[in-house]
Amino acid sequence: MPVGIGIGRGEGPRSGTTRTLRFTGPESFHLGALWLAAAIPTLATLLLIVRLAS
């Protein structure tokens, strides 16, 4: 079953405000999750290289 991650939920923009054209990520965007998503494959590759070298 698909589960939403928070995009499109909550209040809309207040009247008189505009959204910027620059992408800022969804409201549920978390910088720690980005680092984790980048670090895991990098660490796995590094461990594989170390294991193959020994």
Side-chain angles (χ1 to χ4, degrees):
M1 171 186 285
V3 177
I5 61 171
I7 299 173
R9 295 183 181 174
E11 294 182 19
R14 288 179 276 178
S15 61
T17 60
T18 58
R19 289 194 138 180
T20 61
L21 295 177
R22 186 172 57 105
F23 177 73
T24 57
E27 293 176 8
S28 61
F29 183 77
H30 191 273
L31 189 57
L34 177 65
W35 277 104
L36 187 62
I40 296 298
T42 305
L43 181 61
T45 303
L46 199 74
L47 290 173
L48 180 63
I49 290 171
V50 168
R51 182 175 174 118
L52 291 175
S54 53

